[in-house]
Amino acid sequence: MTLASAALGIFGGGGIFMARATVRAQRVTAAADEAIARLNAAPQAKAQDFAVLQATVARVDEENGQLRGKQARFDALLGGFSRTVNRLIYRMERAGIPPEPDDIDELVREYMRTGA
């Protein structure tokens, strides 16, 4: 028996080493496949996060626009009330009927004093 044939007989033609190498190669391949899957999933997750962010910004912009519209209408209404009260107080004073202190709310008096 030659040395080569003895080695083949003992090691089974390299079967043990080949099996270990195959198992290691499979583990490395599985780890690489998993890493690639994570890398491929990351941009999709970021794209989904970005889509959620865009939708949120659009909703907040819409709500902000609605609030600005309501605030503008409220400011106009407050101005209208203020002008009306000023005209009525002026007419009362011209007619010799000054308003009672309790007739004018403190917030209205402050507004009439400061304009704010």
Side-chain angles (χ1 to χ4, degrees):
M1 191 182 328
T2 66
L3 185 58
S5 59
L8 283 175
I10 295 172
F11 297 115
I16 294 171
F17 294 117
M18 292 297 286
R20 287 182 185 167
T22 301
V23 169
R24 282 190 216 122
Q26 287 173 341
R27 287 181 188 155
V28 169
T29 301
D33 289 344
E34 186 179 321
I36 290 170
R38 279 194 311 268
L39 289 173
N40 287 336
Q44 292 172 353
K46 288 194 184 287
Q48 288 173 346
D49 290 346
F50 185 67
V52 168
L53 179 62
Q54 282 181 316
T56 302
V57 167
R59 181 180 51 82
V60 169
D61 282 348
E62 181 181 341
E63 289 174 1
N64 195 16
Q66 290 171 353
L67 289 173
R68 284 183 184 147
K70 286 179 182 179
Q71 184 65 46
R73 288 188 300 277
F74 180 74
D75 289 347
L77 180 62
L78 180 61
F81 272 111
S82 177
R83 288 185 297 276
T84 301
V85 168
N86 283 339
R87 283 192 299 267
L88 292 174
I89 290 172
Y90 176 72
R91 286 182 184 171
M92 288 173 64
E93 288 174 346
R94 277 187 37 203
I97 310 168
E100 296 291 323
D102 292 341
D103 288 344
I104 302 172
D105 187 90
E106 179 59 37
L107 291 174
V108 173
R109 270 192 239 129
E110 181 180 339
Y111 178 80
M112 291 170 71
R113 275 194 312 271
T114 65

